[in-house]
Amino acid sequence: MSTPVPANGEVQPPVGIDELLERIRAGYERIEPREAYEAARAGDALLVDIRYAALRERDGLIPGALVVERNELEWRLDPRGSHRLPEATSHDLRIVVICNEGYASSLAVQSLQQLGLHRATDLVGGFQAWRGAGLPVE
């Protein structure tokens, strides 16, 4: 198996997932549960739950969060996309991606930022941190 060659022609050595997450997270500010809750209540952020159905059924939902399966995320949130959700109104939208523990959401944020959603971020600790902070769950 060969090392992928990026468009600029520079070969990059492979990295592990921990290093990749560190690099990705260095490019934006993550948000803590209480701050995300306040931003959503103030209408300054759209909470997007990307957890799979079994986790949502087991643990519950964050009231008001938009549920978008991870494999549909980019199509549903791209403001210029033909399959976008009505909530995907602009590239300036502040999106807080929530997964179960705050790992997959970081990878999703990188993808959203590549689409031009420059205010996309994710929840530190994911849904489990939200629930652990005593924030609303239904």
Side-chain angles (χ1 to χ4, degrees):
M1 182 173 232
S2 64
T3 302
V5 179
N8 66 6
E10 293 180 28
V11 176
Q12 299 293 321
V15 299
I17 188 63
D18 292 331
E19 184 178 344
L20 179 61
L21 282 171
E22 186 177 320
R23 287 180 186 181
I24 290 169
R25 290 172 176 167
Y28 67 95
E29 276 191 51
R30 301 179 80 206
I31 191 169
E32 296 288 337
R34 177 68 53 189
E35 183 184 354
Y37 172 73
E38 295 298 335
R41 281 189 55 196
D44 184 41
L46 177 64
L47 303 180
V48 179
D49 186 343
I50 64 168
R51 294 175 302 143
Y52 53 89
L55 288 177
R56 295 191 311 267
E57 291 168 9
R58 182 189 79 189
D59 294 338
L61 299 169
I62 295 172
L66 185 64
V67 174
V68 179
E69 296 284 339
R70 174 62 190 100
N71 64 328
E72 297 180 357
L73 188 68
E74 293 81 359
W75 285 268
R76 300 293 186 228
L77 295 180
D78 178 3
R80 297 187 312 190
S82 59
H83 292 79
R84 74 176 180 83
L85 293 169
E87 294 86 351
T89 56
S90 115
H91 285 93
D92 291 327
L93 183 63
R94 185 178 187 195
I95 298 169
V96 178
V97 181
I98 302 165
C99 67
N100 194 47
E101 294 182 343
Y103 296 100
S105 56
S106 295
L107 299 172
V109 166
Q110 179 187 39
S111 181
L112 293 177
Q113 288 189 350
Q114 289 175 331
L115 285 175
L117 294 158
H118 62 97
R119 296 182 71 204
T121 187
D122 71 323
L123 188 67
V124 175
F127 178 86
Q128 298 306 322
W130 177 280
R131 186 172 62 183
L135 295 168
V137 174
E138 52 186 29

